[in-house]
Amino acid sequence: METLEFQAEARQLLQLMVHSIYSNKDIFLRELISNSSDALDKLRLATLQDGLEADTSDLHIEIEVDAEARTLTVRDNGIGMTHEEVVDLIGTIAKSGTADLLAKLKEATEARDTELIGQFGVGFYSTFMVADRVSLVTRKAGTEGHGTMWESAGEGTYTIDDAPDAPVGTTVTLHLRPKDEEDRLFDYAADWKIKEIVKRYSDFISFPIRMVSADKADETLNSMKALWARPRSEVSDDEYHQFYRHISHDWSDPLEIINMKAEGTFEYEALLFLPSRAPHDLFQRDARRGLQLYVKRVFIMDDSKELIPDYLRFVKGVVDAADLSLNISREILQQDRHIQMIRRRLVKKVLSTIKDMLSNNREKYETFWREFGRALKEGLLNDPDNQKAILDVATFSSTASKEEPTTLAAYVERMKDGQEEIYYLTGESRSQVENSPHMEAFEAQGYEVLILTDPVDEIWVEAVPDYDGKKLQSIARGNVDLPKDKEEPEPEGDFGPLLGFLKEKLDENVKEVRLSHRLTTSAACLVSDTDDITPTLEKMYRAMGQEGPRVKRILELNPNHPLVGGLRAAHERAADDPALPETAELLYGTALLAEGGDLEDPARFAKLLADRLARTV
């Protein structure tokens, strides 16, 4: 027998469970049954796909209660675990974002909230909410000889030993704590309580869950009906919610339920869910994603990415296809025309559901967009077939309202007479965009501008040429062709020599210096040429290790600003004045700072500014 220490994070998690104040402790059994169901699925799949020789004629889960000894046992005849797997899966938390996991679980503890237990896939540890000692005996299918026995009291260590006579599968025995109703710790050695929990949380499990009793025949506690095969009118919302929690490990209710059924040359059924909140790993590359795939009610795989595009990775659910082979592999899935057809239909159904929420339930839609809008917009880059449909359900912040985001269709309806383009400006925040010099003429003349602040916005606007025939136009790029403001005075004097001087002095940073039609109060601003990438996009590529040639910007001057007028006059009087190049640097630097850019040499800029200010005091 070995005595081993839990990994540090696992110890912290155990302490949270042992000293738990979670109000709903019933979920521990739900988690154990879910683990057993997964093990049974894996065994059946291994016999179908890997040629494993195992008896799958009566796959089931057993629950046995000993009221006198106050033990509760859950056993299955599934795939089982090796010694190494027991240590890896139970002795450690081998997950990315472990610190984040623990912090959120601690917050959840303080808030008396159980939702995060399932969400982070740490269900086995929840047994210590109701037990002061837990033992596990397991043997991996296909292995000869002994199994493994694991035991812990939920403190800092656990013991592990050989189990010579262990059958294939896994048996978990809980030595239950005394009943404590004040702490909502119920009597989990009572048959009626176990039946109640199974019916509530695990009725849809596709394997029989049997209550083992010494004095009467075993009793099957669950109906085993596939929810996706039942008419929606026959399934309660609570049943759907419990099934969603089972497949997603998210203990909040789904935002929307989507049923699909296709008959004819190729038959399949699907039950999909839109979550009500984003998982913590939505933007992590190694996160598990995809839909569960069944063939004729037989579980095939847990995370079929081939059924749903990556930008819809938050969608959870099940697809049950009638005409696929039980031995289908991931490689075949990628090329199977039936799978591709299902994928296309699933995408259209999800997008139409989101559109329906936008039209008929704005509050629900706003929850969805807040949680998943950023991910959905990724589809504008890699799903050209559905680009229009995604744009139809997208909403954006706009200068038209600080509170209400707008659809592109609504923007087009509000466009001014003669306006041919949809104006937008990207930035890190709404306040940064609103205060940008680029906005001045548009604000002055009452033109609406979309405010795009998600990192993905910088990229998708490059891939979308237009909406409803209206080109998307950055107001920080190219020339702006706005009608001339009647109140705008004509610039006095010839600016040609000054523009040439500034271009010469700032040649390292700018490709052109010209007079601006987009400025009303600022002295200068920087814009990108029509076909050049933006500075933010350039920075993003650089962060990904994609170095390219530096892109020079265009410096635009407001000819009616006193600083620019004074600079023109000073250059006219004494073009060789040594202070003029420094003024040119300051002018460029202030334009760069005004748009939220980074100075190449902040110390030099600060010194030039301090010296110039000192002369005015």
Side-chain angles (χ1 to χ4, degrees):
M1 179 185 293
E2 294 178 87
T3 299
L4 303 174
E5 288 192 355
F6 283 104
Q7 175 202 43
E9 290 87 349
R11 282 203 305 275
Q12 293 177 54
L13 183 56
L14 279 166
Q15 287 305 302
L16 281 174
M17 296 300 166
V18 171
H19 303 293
S20 168
I21 57 168
Y22 289 129
S23 58
N24 182 13
K25 295 178 171 59
D26 291 358
I27 59 94
F28 82 91
L29 184 56
R30 165 68 186 83
E31 290 295 310
L32 288 180
I33 291 173
S34 182
N35 289 347
S36 290
S37 176
D38 288 346
L40 294 168
D41 274 330
K42 287 174 181 174
L43 178 63
R44 184 161 62 181
L45 193 60
T47 62
L48 289 169
Q49 293 187 350
D50 303 333
L52 177 69
E53 293 186 8
D55 182 6
T56 58
S57 60
D58 183 29
L59 297 178
H60 62 276
I61 300 166
E62 291 181 353
I63 301 177
E64 185 174 357
V65 171
D66 186 331
E68 193 172 315
R70 292 202 55 75
T71 60
L72 171 66
T73 299
V74 178
R75 67 174 66 92
D76 65 70
N77 56 346
I79 193 73
M81 291 180 280
T82 64
H83 179 285
E84 290 75 19
E85 287 172 335
V86 171
V87 173
D88 288 344
L89 294 173
I90 300 178
T92 63
I93 308 175
K95 277 183 166 286
S96 58
T98 302
D100 182 49
L101 180 156
L102 289 165
K104 290 190 176 183
L105 276 171
K106 189 171 187 300
E107 289 171 13
T109 306
E110 293 164 355
R112 302 178 70 84
D113 180 2
T114 62
E115 294 175 350
L116 286 161
I117 293 176
Q119 182 178 355
F120 285 101
V122 292
F124 179 80
Y125 296 89
S126 66
T127 55
F128 289 98
M129 296 193 297
V130 301
D132 49 29
R133 184 159 53 93
V134 177
S135 64
L136 176 147
V137 177
T138 185
R139 180 158 73 90
K140 183 78 173 238
T143 60
E144 299 292 333
H146 58 76
T148 301
M149 180 173 183
W150 177 99
E151 188 168 87
S152 177
E155 300 299 331
T157 62
Y158 59 91
T159 61
I160 196 161
D161 201 359
D162 290 342
D165 301 321
V168 168
T170 301
T171 299
V172 179
T173 300
L174 280 62
H175 298 264
L176 297 167
R177 296 181 182 183
K179 175 182 174 183
D180 184 350
E181 290 194 357
E182 276 190 21
D183 192 30
R184 297 185 63 81
L185 183 61
F186 299 112
D187 185 3
Y188 296 110
D191 285 5
W192 71 268
K193 183 61 180 175
I194 298 304
K195 292 176 182 179
E196 176 192 83
I197 296 172
V198 171
K199 190 67 180 173
R200 181 177 181 191
Y201 291 116
S202 308
D203 189 58
F204 50 81
I205 294 291
S206 56
F207 302 99
I209 303 171
R210 298 170 184 158
M211 177 74 87
V212 178
S213 179
D215 56 351
K216 58 183 177 182
D218 293 354
E219 178 184 0
T220 299
L221 305 181
N222 60 322
S223 69
M224 294 178 285
K225 291 181 182 176
L227 258 68
W228 58 89
R230 294 163 58 186
R232 181 150 189 175
S233 59
E234 294 180 9
V235 183
S236 69
D237 283 347
D238 187 58
E239 287 178 292
Y240 278 129
H241 293 172
Q242 297 307 332
F243 181 72
Y244 166 73
R245 292 169 182 176
H246 166 66
I247 62 172
S248 68
H249 300 293
D250 175 7
W251 284 82
S252 54
D253 291 338
L255 191 67
E256 194 64 62
I257 302 164
I258 303 173
N259 292 81
M260 291 180 68
K261 186 171 185 176
E263 297 177 331
T265 55
F266 184 68
E267 297 183 0
Y268 67 90
E269 295 166 308
L271 176 58
L272 308 180
F273 300 91
L274 299 183
S276 56
R277 64 182 184 185
H280 74 290
D281 57 1
L282 181 63
F283 294 101
Q284 292 179 6
R285 288 186 179 180
D286 59 350
R288 291 186 66 184
R289 53 196 58 171
L291 303 177
Q292 290 189 353
L293 176 62
Y294 284 72
V295 173
K296 302 182 188 74
R297 308 286 186 270
V298 176
F299 175 79
I300 300 299
M301 64 183 66
D302 198 36
D303 51 351
S304 175
K305 301 180 181 68
E306 293 76 17
L307 286 167
I308 203 83
D310 200 51
Y311 69 90
L312 294 178
R313 58 188 173 273
F314 50 84
V315 176
K316 303 297 181 184
V318 167
V319 173
D320 191 345
D323 301 308
L324 292 176
S325 165
L326 291 175
N327 293 313
I328 193 164
S329 65
R330 288 194 182 276
E331 291 72 29
I332 296 173
L333 274 181
Q334 291 170 2
Q335 300 164 11
D336 188 274
R337 63 183 183 87
H338 290 142
I339 290 295
Q340 291 169 4
M341 181 186 70
I342 293 175
R343 175 184 169 117
R344 286 194 297 271
R345 291 182 180 176
L346 294 181
V347 170
K348 289 188 184 303
K349 183 65 175 178
V350 169
L351 292 177
S352 68
T353 300
I354 298 168
K355 189 171 186 178
D356 185 64
M357 286 195 297
L358 175 61
S359 302
N360 302 314
N361 193 328
R362 192 64 182 234
E363 184 179 352
K364 188 180 282 189
Y365 167 82
E366 286 173 358
T367 298
F368 167 81
W369 191 254
R370 181 181 65 247
E371 298 293 322
F372 304 109
R374 182 177 154 199
L376 188 69
K377 285 187 286 189
E378 293 172 13
L380 295 170
L381 293 165
N382 47 40
D383 190 357
D385 292 341
N386 290 293
Q387 195 176 77
K388 174 67 163 59
I390 297 170
L391 288 172
D392 282 339
V393 301
T395 53
F396 306 96
S397 295
S398 156
T399 54
S401 170
K402 286 187 179 292
E403 290 79 29
E404 289 290 322
T406 183
T407 61
L408 290 181
Y411 179 103
V412 170
E413 284 182 10
R414 293 191 297 267
M415 285 172 64
K416 299 180 75 166
D417 289 343
Q419 181 181 346
E420 294 298 326
E421 297 169 320
I422 296 171
Y423 297 122
Y424 71 86
L425 185 59
T426 58
E428 292 183 2
S429 67
R430 183 182 182 107
S431 61
Q432 184 198 76
V433 172
E434 285 181 326
N435 293 315
S436 169
H438 302 102
M439 295 284 281
E440 293 173 1
F442 293 85
E443 188 176 4
Q445 297 191 42
Y447 283 91
E448 182 177 356
V449 179
L450 299 179
I451 299 172
L452 308 181
T453 56
D454 282 337
V456 71
D457 292 334
E458 287 281 351
I459 308 171
W460 73 257
V461 290
E462 304 289 332
V464 176
D466 64 77
Y467 177 80
D468 200 20
K470 306 292 184 183
K471 180 186 174 187
L472 273 73
Q473 175 63 50
S474 168
I475 65 170
R477 173 180 280 176
N479 278 304
V480 170
D481 189 21
L482 290 180
K484 185 171 174 57
D485 192 336
K486 294 176 182 177
E487 299 179 3
E488 183 182 334
E490 287 292 333
E492 296 179 5
D494 178 14
F495 281 85
L498 174 64
L499 299 181
F501 168 79
L502 292 175
K503 170 67 176 72
E504 179 188 343
K505 296 303 177 186
L506 300 173
D507 187 60
E508 282 189 16
N509 296 307
V510 302
K511 63 162 59 174
E512 183 184 349
V513 182
R514 68 192 182 199
L515 297 184
S516 178
H517 298 289
R518 73 187 90 215
L519 297 173
T520 59
T521 57
S522 296
C525 71
L526 289 164
V527 298
S528 298
D529 212 348
T530 306
D531 297 320
D532 287 345
I533 65 171
T534 64
T536 305
L537 203 53
E538 189 180 3
K539 198 183 299 182
M540 288 170 66
Y541 285 138
R542 201 171 291 129
M544 294 186 288
Q546 299 180 25
E547 290 287 345
R550 185 180 173 195
V551 179
K552 293 183 181 181
R553 311 283 300 289
I554 297 169
L555 178 66
E556 289 193 351
L557 305 182
N558 179 359
N560 297 306
H561 193 281
L563 173 59
V564 177
L567 188 57
R568 183 198 63 79
H571 180 265
E572 196 173 75
R573 285 194 308 270
D576 57 353
D577 185 342
L580 287 179
E582 293 182 353
T583 307
E585 274 191 68
L586 289 170
L587 187 65
Y588 170 79
T590 54
L592 187 61
L593 290 172
E595 67 172 16
D598 299 321
L599 293 168
E600 222 171 85
D601 191 345
R604 174 173 171 76
F605 181 84
K607 182 179 184 305
L608 288 176
L609 184 60
D611 290 347
R612 189 58 58 92
L613 289 172
R615 295 176 208 163
T616 65
V617 176

